Amino acid sequence: MPVRRCRICGIHPTMPAPFPPASKHSTDARLPDAARALDALVDGIVAVCSDWRILLANQAGERLLARAPAAVPATGEPASLWEAIPALAAGQSADCLRATMADGRTRSFVIRLPGSSDSARTEVRVTAMAGGGGGICLQFREPVVPAALTHPAPDPLAERTAVRDLARALAEEEDVDALLHLICEHATVQCNAAGATIGQLQDDHVEVVAGAGLGCEAIGLRLALHGSLTEQAFLARATVRVRDYMAQYPALAAMRPGFAVGPAFMVPLIAQAQVLGVLMVVRAPGAAPFSVTEEDRAQVIADHAALAIWKSQLLERAQDANRAKSTFLATMSHELRTPLTALTGYEELLVDEVFGPLTEPQIAAVERMHTSTELLALIIEEILTFSRLEAGEERAHLEATNAQDIVRDAISVLEPLALAKSLDLIVVEPDAPLELVTDADMLRRILVNLGANAVKFTAHGSVEMAVFQHHDAVRIAVRDTGIGIQPADMPRLFHPFTQLDSGFTRRYRGTGLGLFISQRLAALLGGRIEVQSVVGEGSVFTVVLPG
């Protein structure tokens, strides 16, 4: 296929190119579809190789290049981009082009091209060409005119809807990083901006921790706070603005060439009288300044954002404190186990009369010691289980087992407690074996917890444990004739460290972890715990497990 020489680019048939050249003179029906598609674009496309020679221009690109006389090479050799468009050869434009040629990252900037009106600016998007050849492609978009000439009057209903949507989105987002990015995106859209960033204050510096649009180029920057626009916003606790950010702070150009900024303003993020950070909204160099309406929109976004960030930080601190609490409880429980094991060992030696025969008072003292060490062991085991549940380390090991056997094991543990209070301990079970797949040890712990609670809160009468099949579930009900539960107390039943009988003079001892642990263990087994209670008549706690 013959390849036509482009009047502007000077490409001839023997010169390699990343894709077939397009020319405003090309009417050959055999021209590839890709070239015809390029010529159909409204945007000007100019491809440049690694030594800055122009490889290709579509029809819109050729019209743009034709505005500069240097674009048409007199020698017949391909023109240099710098010769073709001198306006690109200096300042932020050249920095962006060289940066993309070096690292392949997409960048954009705004520039006034030859032949354009004084108010019109053309947005240039720079991308690396596919294939690893080292070239770049420039996309020249329609001229950008001042925002005041292009944006219609704000729609109050649309603005209220946008604020409501933002508030809902911020309330639903829990991850801090995603929250900050969402704020930057909304600020960019609502303020007709090229991008936005959020800076976090750190002693005498400000670090850019989030960005959207053009602001993505600034993420990770650490800038001195003294003398900065951020410091002005921080001290004034109000919006501050600048018409040409890069002109006022030229040092930033050397740090991040891709972050070319013209008009910008900064809003402090204030919640509970604390400045949590700053929201910066920017446009490309040469763009129109922001209007008062756009700054007001950003202030509304900043108010919602500051409150959301403050709540998120509170949640993070609470989670950190909760993790520290769980770690402390686990560590202390392990430490307490060591002396407890020694006490239990010496107690067994005394019971076996290894140190000699015991008198009746000594035997009674050893029995009380045994009761106290058992109680302490149960408390430590509850705290360890709680810590494992909070850390997600508790695992269920499912296997086929017999429900009646598990119930009898739990009853054997509860029997001494019921006898001590002269309570009847009743077991109701089916005649035929009731098989289920579960973690027998975990289910036994649940039943012992529920049964011990039933005994604790029952002064007279009975405690009953009944196991039966109901539809596709195995149900084990623990029924007592105790004090019952007030309806208002029901929502607090399964909260950790909660006892309905609270205060320094409470009658019933315990850690307040039993029901919380039981509920979480039941969930690990794929089941749940149901509660029914009547004040003064008693309660029924039913473990429901898959059959």
Side-chain angles (χ1 to χ4, degrees):
M1 176 189 301
V3 180
R4 295 183 180 271
R5 181 186 182 93
C6 174
R7 179 180 64 85
I8 301 298
C9 307
I11 290 180
H12 51 76
T14 60
M15 182 176 294
F19 39 76
S23 168
K24 68 176 184 178
H25 302 297
S26 301
T27 57
D28 193 334
R30 295 172 296 175
L31 191 66
D33 291 341
R36 289 200 298 272
L38 284 175
D39 281 341
L41 291 177
V42 175
D43 294 345
I45 304 295
V46 176
V48 180
C49 64
S50 59
D51 61 0
W52 303 103
R53 288 177 300 126
I54 298 175
L55 292 178
L56 174 146
N58 69 348
Q59 289 184 7
E62 287 189 8
R63 287 193 295 272
L64 184 148
L65 293 170
R67 296 176 186 173
V72 182
T75 62
E77 293 298 320
S80 161
L81 178 67
W82 313 123
E83 297 171 343
I85 310 179
L88 297 175
Q92 297 300 316
S93 304
D95 290 340
C96 284
L97 292 170
R98 290 190 173 95
T100 298
M101 185 72 81
D103 61 22
R105 296 175 62 183
T106 299
R107 291 174 171 83
S108 61
F109 56 89
V110 176
I111 190 172
R112 179 180 174 274
L113 291 173
S116 301
S117 65
D118 291 339
S119 61
R121 297 293 186 272
T122 298
E123 181 182 354
V124 183
R125 181 178 175 84
V126 190
T127 56
M129 287 196 295
I136 59 174
C137 183
L138 286 71
Q139 179 182 3
F140 296 83
R141 297 182 175 177
E142 287 295 302
V144 178
V145 297
L149 302 178
T150 59
H151 296 297
D155 180 356
L157 178 60
E159 289 197 12
R160 288 197 298 271
T161 301
V163 171
R164 186 169 60 249
D165 292 344
L166 172 63
R168 184 183 300 111
L170 294 179
E172 293 173 352
E173 185 58 65
E174 295 182 359
D175 181 71
V176 176
D177 293 336
L179 186 70
L180 298 179
H181 180 71
L182 183 64
I183 295 166
C184 292
E185 283 188 334
H186 273 265
T188 300
V189 172
Q190 294 302 315
C191 299
N192 303 307
T197 65
I198 287 181
Q200 184 176 5
L201 304 179
Q202 297 181 352
D203 298 327
D204 59 346
H205 284 75
V206 58
E207 180 177 357
V208 180
V209 295
L214 186 60
C216 292
E217 295 286 346
I219 295 176
L221 271 176
R222 280 177 56 86
L223 304 170
L225 184 61
H226 179 66
S228 68
L229 196 64
T230 302
E231 184 184 45
Q232 294 180 38
F234 174 74
L235 295 176
R237 289 178 171 250
T239 300
V240 294
R241 62 196 61 79
V242 62
R243 187 176 183 86
D244 190 339
Y245 186 86
M246 302 306 285
Q248 190 162 337
Y249 302 98
L252 187 60
M255 298 175 67
R256 288 290 169 91
F259 188 57
V261 176
F265 68 90
M266 196 168 287
V267 186
L269 302 174
I270 302 174
Q272 302 299 309
Q274 300 177 39
V275 179
L276 305 177
V278 286
L279 170 64
M280 182 177 179
V281 186
V282 303
R283 282 186 178 141
F290 289 96
S291 66
V292 174
T293 300
E294 289 164 339
E295 291 183 7
D296 289 343
R297 290 175 190 165
Q299 183 63 66
V300 173
I301 293 172
D303 290 341
H304 283 278
L307 186 59
I309 292 171
W310 178 69
K311 288 182 177 179
S312 180
Q313 290 178 348
L314 285 182
L315 177 62
E316 278 194 338
R317 287 197 287 268
Q319 290 172 339
D320 289 341
N322 191 54
R323 284 190 289 269
K325 174 200 68 179
S326 299
T327 302
F328 171 77
L329 290 174
T331 302
M332 291 305 298
S333 299
H334 280 293
E335 292 297 322
L336 288 171
R337 266 188 164 181
T338 302
L340 181 62
T341 302
L343 285 174
T344 303
Y346 282 117
E347 173 203 314
E348 291 174 353
L349 293 175
L350 290 172
V351 170
D352 294 339
E353 297 185 339
V354 172
F355 303 113
L358 300 178
T359 64
E360 288 298 325
Q362 288 172 334
I363 292 173
V366 170
E367 288 177 349
R368 286 194 294 272
M369 183 192 304
H370 176 70
T371 301
S372 296
T373 53
E374 276 195 335
L375 176 61
L376 184 56
L378 288 173
I379 292 173
I380 292 173
E381 184 56 38
E382 276 192 341
I383 294 175
L384 283 173
T385 302
F386 169 78
S387 300
R388 289 194 299 269
L389 286 168
E390 288 292 276
E393 296 173 355
E394 192 77 12
R395 298 287 186 271
H397 303 284
L398 305 180
E399 58 183 2
T401 187
N402 184 282
Q404 289 98 318
D405 291 342
I406 299 173
V407 169
R408 294 189 197 107
D409 289 343
I411 289 294
S412 66
V413 176
L414 298 172
E415 191 171 10
L417 302 177
L419 288 176
K421 297 185 69 172
S422 301
L423 299 175
D424 294 330
L425 193 57
I426 304 168
V427 180
V428 179
E429 57 184 47
D431 295 332
L434 188 54
E435 299 293 331
L436 76 162
V437 176
T438 189
D439 185 318
D441 180 64
M442 196 171 283
L443 179 55
R444 188 182 304 108
R445 287 152 65 189
I446 296 172
L447 297 179
V448 168
N449 270 337
L450 297 180
N453 263 6
V455 172
K456 182 193 298 185
F457 294 102
T458 303
H460 54 81
S462 63
V463 172
E464 177 186 292
M465 191 173 294
V467 55
F468 55 94
Q469 181 92 31
H470 182 70
H471 299 307
D472 294 331
V474 173
R475 304 173 73 91
I476 306 175
V478 180
R479 181 179 290 104
D480 64 63
T481 57
I483 60 175
I485 304 166
Q486 295 284 351
D489 291 330
M490 282 288 192
R492 297 192 294 130
L493 268 181
F494 296 102
H495 289 185
F497 302 105
T498 298
Q499 284 204 336
L500 305 185
D501 176 44
S502 59
F504 290 109
T505 58
R506 61 192 175 98
R507 294 170 291 169
Y508 305 102
R509 297 177 301 172
T511 61
L513 288 172
L515 288 179
F516 169 80
I517 290 173
S518 298
Q519 182 200 48
R520 293 284 295 271
L521 294 181
L524 288 176
L525 296 177
R528 64 185 185 278
I529 296 178
E530 297 176 352
V531 185
Q532 293 176 317
S533 185
V534 178
V535 176
E537 296 183 15
S539 306
V540 182
F541 286 78
T542 304
V543 183
V544 183
L545 297 172

